[in-house]
Amino acid sequence: MSENDNNKKTENRGEKLVDITNEYNENERPQDESESVLDEAVDKVKAGTTEAVDKVKAGTKAVVNKVKDTDKDLGNEYNKEKTT
């Protein structure tokens, strides 16, 4: 294969590729729907974060109570703090 033949082959590679840009733009999710999905995801993250923070606070209080009184059961203290 000559150098020119090789260049033609390289130039023609892109001709068979499908241009999906227009198809993607036509089938793209509507902006308001995308925003509602994002809002829902943010709400779930906030709820999960709040729950995690509450668990850490309850665990910290339970450990403090256990340090103050070593006879206390850490699990019971955690459950007590978690419910308050």
Side-chain angles (χ1 to χ4, degrees), residues 8 19 27 37 45 50 67-68 80:
K8 283 183 182 178
D19 182 14
N27 296 322
V37 169
V45 169
T50 301
V67 169
K68 288 180 180 177
K80 183 176 81 174

Side-chain angles (χ1 to χ4, degrees), residues 16-76:
K16 294 183 181 180
L17 294 177
V18 178
D19 182 14
I20 62 169
T21 306
N22 288 335
E23 184 179 333
Y24 175 79
N25 289 335
E26 290 171 4
N27 296 322
E28 190 174 15
R29 184 181 283 174
Q31 184 66 24
D32 58 334
E33 184 181 343
S34 296
E35 289 174 0
S36 67
V37 169
L38 180 61
D39 289 341
E40 184 179 333
V42 168
D43 290 342
K44 287 181 180 182
V45 169
K46 284 181 182 177
T49 302
T50 301
E51 184 180 337
V53 168
D54 291 343
K55 288 180 178 181
V56 169
K57 285 181 181 178
T60 302
K61 289 179 182 179
V63 169
V64 169
N65 291 340
K66 175 71 174 176
V67 169
K68 288 180 180 177
D69 184 358
T70 56
D71 292 334
K72 290 186 177 185
D73 180 59
L74 188 59
N76 288 338

